[in-house]
Amino acid sequence: MDDVSAQGPQSDAHGPDSQGPSSQGPDSQGPGIRDLLTLGGMLVGSIVTGLVIGLLLDSWWDTSPAFVLVGTALGIVAAGTGFWLRVRTFLRG
């Protein structure tokens, strides 16, 4: 038992000098679950927002599918643009 106390604390495999998962920062591992959920919410939110605005304009001006199609198309474009801008930061880092 004297040999153990003379050596000091033993380092484990995930100490500060190791190359294990605990020594890597959160940015070096890519997008986390929080980032992926944010991306999914942004995609769905953009498309649904365009759809709802289109439905409201169609019911207000009594133009059946015109604004639903335009709103959905704009929502898809907004979702794609937002998705690319967010993913680009992960591809650069």
Side-chain angles (χ1 to χ4, degrees):
M1 285 202 199
D2 291 331
D3 290 341
V4 173
S5 62
Q7 292 176 358
Q10 296 178 353
S11 64
D12 63 352
H14 298 292
D17 296 331
S18 72
Q19 296 298 320
S22 64
S23 66
Q24 297 177 350
D27 294 335
S28 65
Q29 296 176 1
I33 189 73
R34 184 179 190 186
D35 299 318
L36 296 175
L37 288 173
T38 301
L39 280 174
M42 183 202 52
L43 289 171
V44 171
S46 297
I47 295 170
V48 168
T49 300
L51 178 69
V52 168
I53 290 173
L55 283 171
L56 290 174
L57 290 175
D58 273 340
S59 68
W60 188 23
W61 287 331
D62 199 28
T63 55
S64 183
F67 286 107
V68 170
L69 295 175
V70 170
T72 303
L74 289 175
I76 290 171
V77 169
T81 303
F83 181 82
W84 173 248
L85 291 175
R86 295 218 182 199
V87 168
R88 186 174 63 172
T89 60
F90 293 116
L91 293 176
R92 289 182 178 175

